Amino acid sequence: MSQSYCRIVQVAIQSQDLLDEVSSEVAGANVLFVGTTRGITAGTKTFAIDYECHESMALAILKSLRTKAVERFELVHCVIEHRIGLVHVGEISVAIATSAVHRKEAFDAAQWIMERIKEEVPIWKCEVGHDGNRVWVHPDAVPGRRL
């Protein structure tokens, strides 16, 4: 059953399920973007990223972005999932699935949504090193955090 939705989850994201959700007989393009935790950032080995968010606000903004993307890029369907909590190297932290009549719109929408998520959604990430050292990526944006 295809539909459009947004979710914030604390479990592994099943990317194929998201792609299946946006599939449609009228869509000639289905695009899946997955963001994963990388093993090295700025020369430092990363063990995991610990994501925190203001969940109700983050979900509201994700839904608004999805609605705007559907209208702006004439999408058939759009699904967005973002994981919070500890996300280990190689695991998916965010997934965006889009479908459209043509590929350009599906690709452009996924990229536009990801850029907006990074700029607008109150989800913060803390890089966790193998030594246990924790560094907030944007410490000035994390409520109540001072480094």
Side-chain angles (χ1 to χ4, degrees):
M1 179 170 112
S2 296
Q3 58 185 342
S4 295
Y5 64 83
C6 299
R7 281 192 258 198
I8 295 174
V9 298
Q10 295 184 7
V11 296
I13 293 174
Q14 302 302 316
S15 58
Q16 184 60 50
D17 291 347
L18 274 64
L19 195 54
D20 292 344
E21 285 292 327
V22 300
S23 295
S24 168
E25 292 178 359
V26 298
N30 300 296
V31 169
L32 175 66
F33 169 81
V34 292
T36 57
T37 300
R38 62 181 166 264
I40 298 177
T41 302
T44 302
K45 287 188 177 181
T46 302
F47 173 71
I49 294 181
D50 193 3
Y51 288 92
E52 290 186 15
C53 75
H54 184 295
E55 193 163 346
S56 61
M57 186 182 292
L59 196 54
I61 295 171
L62 287 174
K63 288 178 181 179
S64 174
L65 291 174
R66 183 201 62 228
T67 299
K68 289 175 185 174
V70 167
E71 292 171 6
R72 179 177 179 166
F73 298 97
E74 299 180 5
L75 299 178
V76 175
H77 295 295
C78 178
V79 175
I80 305 168
E81 282 193 7
H82 203 299
R83 186 170 169 188
I84 58 173
L86 206 60
V87 182
H88 292 91
V89 170
E91 293 181 337
I92 299 171
S93 54
V94 61
I96 301 165
T98 61
S99 63
V101 174
H102 302 288
R103 69 180 176 271
K104 181 175 181 2
E105 290 78 9
F107 276 114
D108 289 351
Q111 182 174 0
W112 181 86
I113 291 167
M114 190 64 240
E115 293 304 319
R116 299 288 75 70
I117 288 172
K118 292 178 75 66
E119 291 179 13
E120 300 176 26
V121 182
I123 298 175
W124 307 284
K125 66 181 188 177
C126 181
E127 292 179 352
V128 181
H130 285 276
D131 59 0
N133 189 36
R134 298 172 56 86
V135 177
W136 287 96
V137 175
H138 302 286
D140 56 323
V142 181
R145 304 266 187 220
R146 296 216 190 277
L147 296 179

